[in-house]
Amino acid sequence: MTAPEAPGQPPEPALRADAERNRERIMEAARRLYASEGLGVSMASVAREAGVGKATLSRRFTTRDELVNAVFTDRMEAYAAATTTALADPDPWHGFTHYVETICAMQAADRGFAAVLTISFPGAAALEARRAESYQGFLELISRAKATGHLRADFASEDLVVLLMANAGVIAATCDAAPGAWRRLVGQMLRAFATPDAPLPPIADAPDSADLYRAMVRMP
């Protein structure tokens, strides 16, 4: 025999379905806010955007790292896939330049992800594991690109980290007034990484001075 359900209480499957709906609402709200405003968005703001209470949010995600891990798992998978694609390119130098452009474009498409690539999240185990895996692939890509003679011998993996940090800053400062400014930065940095005879993709035009000024006056 089984115990009867308490009057007025929904069956367990309904509770689980409701919890999953809340989880998805929270993740979608976090994606929207992180993409448009960056990772500085508070957990309370995410709860309001999702239309749930703070207690509901904390039951689904006890820390910000847990929420970031859930929201950006698919983005980090795409990041890892970009490394695999670059390593499969028969021309390692082209693979290198295309990889840098791809990753920086991923940052430009999502301000939250722009920050994720430059911040460590110890509580987001899956995200950090994929980051470490991608980093090892990038080290191999560096070695192969140097062997072509087109990547400067003094290029270090840390140079990409610096570029990603700079790109995240440019994106945050110019995303409204001069949204293509990051492309110019990436083009110039690729030229800094290359040896004098290396073939390079076309460089984007410099941002319009008036647009850049509008971005500058809004900076804190």
Side-chain angles (χ1 to χ4, degrees):
M1 296 182 63
T2 59
E5 294 179 357
Q9 293 295 316
E12 189 64 25
L15 287 174
R16 288 197 297 268
D18 186 59
E20 184 58 30
R21 281 193 297 271
N22 283 336
R23 177 184 170 84
E24 290 301 319
R25 288 170 63 185
I26 292 166
M27 288 177 59
E28 286 302 319
R31 285 192 185 99
R32 289 193 298 272
L33 291 175
Y34 289 156
S36 62
E37 301 179 29
L39 294 185
V41 173
S42 68
M43 295 288 273
S45 295
V46 173
R48 284 195 300 271
E49 178 75 10
V52 301
K54 293 180 182 179
T56 298
L57 174 60
S58 64
R59 282 197 297 271
R60 305 281 78 79
F61 302 99
T62 58
T63 67
R64 186 186 72 149
D65 280 12
E66 286 185 13
L67 180 57
V68 167
N69 189 74
V71 168
F72 290 106
T73 293
D74 58 340
R75 308 292 199 282
M76 196 56 76
E77 290 295 331
Y79 176 58
T83 310
T84 302
T85 299
L87 288 170
D89 194 316
D91 180 348
W93 172 242
H94 178 267
F96 175 88
T97 59
H98 185 66
Y99 172 82
V100 171
E101 291 178 323
T102 298
I103 299 308
C104 290
M106 290 173 64
Q107 286 188 296
D110 188 324
R111 285 184 60 188
F113 190 63
V116 164
L117 288 183
T118 62
I119 300 173
S120 179
F121 297 92
L127 186 149
E128 291 301 321
R130 293 302 272 163
R131 188 203 304 274
E133 179 183 329
S134 298
Y135 179 74
Q136 291 303 312
F138 183 62
L139 294 180
E140 176 63 23
L141 184 61
I142 291 172
S143 178
R144 294 183 188 183
K146 285 182 176 179
T148 68
H150 296 319
L151 179 62
R152 283 173 42 168
D154 61 354
F155 178 87
S157 61
E158 291 79 8
D159 291 325
L160 177 66
V161 178
V162 171
L163 170 56
L164 294 178
M165 293 174 72
N167 196 44
V170 168
I171 290 165
T174 65
C175 60
D176 295 327
W182 68 272
R183 297 184 185 277
R184 180 73 174 188
L185 170 68
V186 173
Q188 295 288 23
M189 292 305 296
L190 284 176
R191 279 151 180 77
F193 300 156
T195 57
D197 63 342
L200 286 160
I203 190 168
D205 293 337
D208 180 81
S209 59
D211 292 341
L212 198 57
Y213 177 75
R214 283 196 294 272
M216 292 169 65
V217 296
R218 286 206 301 268
M219 290 178 66

